[in-house]
Amino acid sequence: MSRVYNFSAGPSMLPLEVLETAQKELIEFGTSGMSVMEMSHRSPVYDAIIKETEANFRKLMNIPDNYKVLFLQGGASTQFAAVPLNLMKTGKADYVVSGQFSGKAFKEAKKYGDAKCIATSEDKTFSYIPEITPDMVREDADYVHVCYNNTIFGTKFPEVPNVGDKVLVADMSSCITSEPVDVTKFGVIYAGAQKNMAPAGLTVVIIREDLMGNAREDIPTMLDYKTMADNDSMYNTPPCYAIYIAGLVYKWALENGGLEKMKERNEKKANILYDFLDNSTLFKATADKKCRSMMNVCFVTGDADLDKKFCKEAAEAGFVNLKGHRSVGGMRASIYNAMPYEGVEALVEFMKEFEKNNK
Ligand SMILES: *Cc1c(COP(=O)(O)O)cnc(C)c1O
């Protein structure tokens, strides 16, 4: 077997143990006589799978009973529309634009009402997180939307932004389950699962119950949180197989110490990489120190040709997908939960060598 260290931003690495379990269960799940891929989503066997997946996710994230968990499709990008369609009651919502995805979310919301950008870090190519204070939020805004971890620029909110008593909505696609979060501080949390939880095709939404049932009349049925909640995410066929894999990933995370432990591991991984970058004569981290992401570490040499050479040689050495997002260039090492410490350690060793050889 020759699995590489895969630093892809998403779809990304899954824990090897999870893949091995999936492999063992691929052709016949339990004594069901069939693969999870071949099952009716309404069968008792599948019902047990989705219920266990949800139970483990709730346990892992410590999700209170007054929040619903929805397993949806369409990616985080579909949530950019679903959020305003479900939550804009007065027609006003405030957005923090701290990167490309939050920019897209803002743009989408403007189609459905009076969306306002209350803070942005665009002036410095999104290399920092703007400070948010309750007085910045409009009194009659229905919610405040943030992207908690900016996958492309490698920044993360250092703490939950203070929006007073406003409903806080967060896109957590690239940091969900990377560390404990206090779910009660949020009205809605959503995430495309392909970064840190599952293969592509599944989108997870965590929503406080009282926020449902106020959607616009003309909302597409498939985007209405209430419809999805009332039908236990089975209004139509859910992404069955991705949900099953997510279930294995949640079980893996619980067996490996839960989110406290995930945080500890992730900090350790991010720290050796950032420490190296901060002391390097060749490489430089691009994100502001106060709001660096533990999941997506962005860096440059300052020379686009050298960046290219680095990515090429790294790939040859078994460190793949280190190229930065096509919109920003440079490099990005995505080091989600499934990336072992040894992978980051080996990358740092490789970077040291590269630095020596390219003085
Ligand atoms: C990847 C990503 C998205 C887009 O997700 P899709 O599932 O491809 O729609 C949105 N927001 C963030 C923060 C992401 O990392």
Side-chain angles (χ1 to χ4, degrees), residues 74-77 80 101 147 149 151 171 173-174 192 194-195:
S77 304
F80 297 166
F101 290 118
C147 177
N149 183 78
T151 323
D171 176 355
S173 295
S174 50
Q194 73 275 22
K195 310 287 165 61

Side-chain angles (χ1 to χ4, degrees), residues 338-351:
M339 173 61 69
Y341 178 77
E342 293 71 37
V344 185
E345 200 180 30
L347 173 66
V348 168
E349 284 312 309
F350 175 80
M351 289 169 78

Side-chain angles (χ1 to χ4, degrees), residues 21-22 58 87 126 134 156 199 224 250:
T21 304
R58 285 184 171 276
L87 302 184
F126 301 118
K156 188 194 156 235
D224 189 343
Y250 301 148

Side-chain angles (χ1 to χ4, degrees), residues 114-131:
D114 172 8
K116 183 188 171 196
C117 170
I118 57 165
T120 178
S121 48
E122 199 173 4
D123 59 330
K124 291 186 181 158
T125 20
F126 301 118
S127 58
Y128 69 103
I129 298 284
E131 200 180 331

